[in-house]
C-alpha cells in the first residue's frame, strides 16, 4: 500500500514559472523525503525534512512540512525544461523504522 | 561500485519460469531495499535488509517471492513460477544508514530490472 498522495497528479507550466506539488500522508512520521524520476529511470533523492523541521531549502527547491495537517509541499522556483520529471514524496513512519513508503507522484512538464 | 547496479536490465520470460534479479549496492551501504514499480505509479515496497538480515518482508506479494542478501552486500530477488501479473519494473536501492530514520536515510536507486512475463 502507498502512504502518500501527491497533488496534482500532473502539472504543466512554462519555463521560468514556479511549480508547487503537495503531498499528504496518513500516519505519524519521522521524516519525509522527496525524489525525482526522469522518464522511468532510477529515482534520485532531492531533499529530506525531519518531523521537527518546518521548512528546508536546497538550491531552487523549497520543502515545507506541516505535521498537524500531515502534509508537505515541494516548490521548484524558476523552473527549467530539465525539471520535467515525476516527483514523489516518501515517508518514514515513526512507529516502523524499516520502510520508506512512496506516494503516487506528480508528473511535471516544463515547456521551453 | 559508483552506483547501485541491477541485472539483468530486461528480462522476458514465459509464465511458470523462475527468475532471479540481482542487485549490487553501493559499497559499504548498510541497508538494501527492493521495490516494484508499475507504469505511472510510485515504487511499492517489497522487502528490506540491514546487512544480511532481512528486516521486513511484509511487502512481498506471496510466497513465490523471496529475497536474500547472504553476505550483506549483493542481493537476489527470486520469483518462482512467474505469472503475467508479476510483469513490472523491479527497483533496488541502498542507503548508508540502517533505515530511513537514520541520519543518512536517503536511498540511492539503481536503474531497475524490467520483467515481462509472457
Amino acid at each position: 500500500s502507498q502512504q502518500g498522495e501527491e497533488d496534482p497528479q500532473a502539472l504543466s507550466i512554462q519555463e521560468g514559472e514556479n511549480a508547487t506539488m503537495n503531498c499528504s500522508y496518513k500516519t505519524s512520521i519521522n521524516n519525509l523525503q522527496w525524489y525525482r524520476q526522469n522518464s522511468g529511470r532510477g529515482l534520485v533523492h532531492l531533499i529530506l525534512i525531519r518531523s521537527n523541521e518546518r521548512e528546508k531549502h536546497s538550491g531552487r527547491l523549497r520543502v515545507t512540512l506541516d505535521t498537524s495537517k500531515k502534509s508537505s509541499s515541494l516548490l521548484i522556483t524558476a523552473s527549467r525544461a530539465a525539471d520535467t520529471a515525476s516527483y514523489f514524496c516518501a515517508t518514514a513512519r515513526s512507529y516502523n523504522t524499516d520502510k520508506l513508503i512512496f506516494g503516487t507522484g506528480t508528473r511535471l512538464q516544463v515547456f521551453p | 561500485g559508483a552506483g547501485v547496479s541491477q541485472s539483468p536490465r530486461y528480462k522476458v520470460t514465459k509464465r511458470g519460469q523462475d527468475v532471479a534479479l540481482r542487485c549490487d549496492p553501493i559499497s559499504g551501504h548498510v541497508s538494501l531495499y527492493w521495490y516494484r514499480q508499475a507504469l505511472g505509479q510510485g515504487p511499492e515496497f517489497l522487502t528490506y535488509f540491514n546487512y544480511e538480515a532481512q528486516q521486513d518482508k511484509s511487502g512481498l506479494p506471496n510466497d513465490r517471492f523471496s529475497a536474500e542478501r547472504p553476505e550483506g552486500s549483493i542481493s537476489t530477488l527470486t520469483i518462482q513460477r512467474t505469472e503475467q501479473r508479476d510483469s513490472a519494473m523491479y527497483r533496488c536501492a541502498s542507503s548508508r544508514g540502517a533505515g530511513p530514520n537514520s541520519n543518512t536515510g536517503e536511498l540511492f536507486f539503481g536503474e531497475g530490472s524490467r520483467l515481462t512475463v509472457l
Side-chain angles (χ1 to χ4, degrees), chain A residues 36-43, chain B residues 9 37 89 91 110-112:
Chain A
R36 183 185 70 209
Q37 184 175 39
N38 289 80
S39 300
R41 303 197 61 185
L43 285 82
Chain B
R9 291 290 309 280
Q37 188 174 22
M89 178 71 83
R91 298 198 184 273
E111 292 293 322

Side-chain angles (χ1 to χ4, degrees), chain A residues 17-37:
Chain A
E17 294 181 338
N18 295 341
T20 299
M21 288 158 270
N22 303 296
C23 168
S24 60
Y25 56 91
K26 299 172 185 174
T27 64
S28 296
I29 61 169
N30 271 359
N31 70 57
L32 185 145
Q33 305 181 28
W34 284 90
Y35 287 79
R36 183 185 70 209
Q37 184 175 39

Side-chain angles (χ1 to χ4, degrees), chain B residues 3-36:
Chain B
V4 177
S5 178
Q6 292 188 245
S7 63
R9 291 290 309 280
Y10 303 92
K11 177 69 176 180
V12 179
T13 190
K14 292 183 178 179
R15 187 178 55 189
Q17 297 293 307
D18 298 349
V19 297
L21 307 177
R22 173 188 162 119
C23 174
D24 193 350
I26 294 173
S27 179
H29 275 198
V30 170
S31 301
L32 186 147
Y33 298 77
W34 283 100
Y35 287 87
R36 180 169 68 175

Side-chain angles (χ1 to χ4, degrees), chain A residues 4-110:
Chain A
E5 287 191 8
E6 281 88 338
D7 164 53
Q9 288 189 337
L11 179 61
S12 295
I13 59 174
Q14 295 291 129
E15 258 189 337
E17 294 181 338
N18 295 341
T20 299
M21 288 158 270
N22 303 296
C23 168
S24 60
Y25 56 91
K26 299 172 185 174
T27 64
S28 296
I29 61 169
N30 271 359
N31 70 57
L32 185 145
Q33 305 181 28
W34 284 90
Y35 287 79
R36 183 185 70 209
Q37 184 175 39
N38 289 80
S39 300
R41 303 197 61 185
L43 285 82
V44 175
H45 179 264
L46 296 176
I47 198 164
L48 181 155
I49 186 166
R50 302 197 183 280
S51 60
N52 60 354
E53 298 175 310
R54 292 296 169 259
E55 188 171 310
K56 206 161 184 180
H57 297 253
S58 177
R60 293 184 297 112
L61 305 180
R62 181 173 79 102
V63 168
T64 61
L65 179 64
D66 187 335
T67 53
S68 66
K69 295 181 180 178
K70 291 187 169 59
S71 67
S72 173
S73 67
L74 170 67
L75 169 66
I76 304 174
T77 60
S79 63
R80 307 165 182 169
D83 294 328
T84 295
S86 290
Y87 292 82
F88 296 91
C89 69
T91 51
R93 304 184 192 187
S94 59
Y95 62 86
N96 181 336
T97 61
D98 294 348
K99 301 177 187 178
L100 192 65
I101 305 297
F102 284 82
T104 52
T106 292
R107 281 156 288 286
L108 174 65
Q109 176 81 49
V110 182

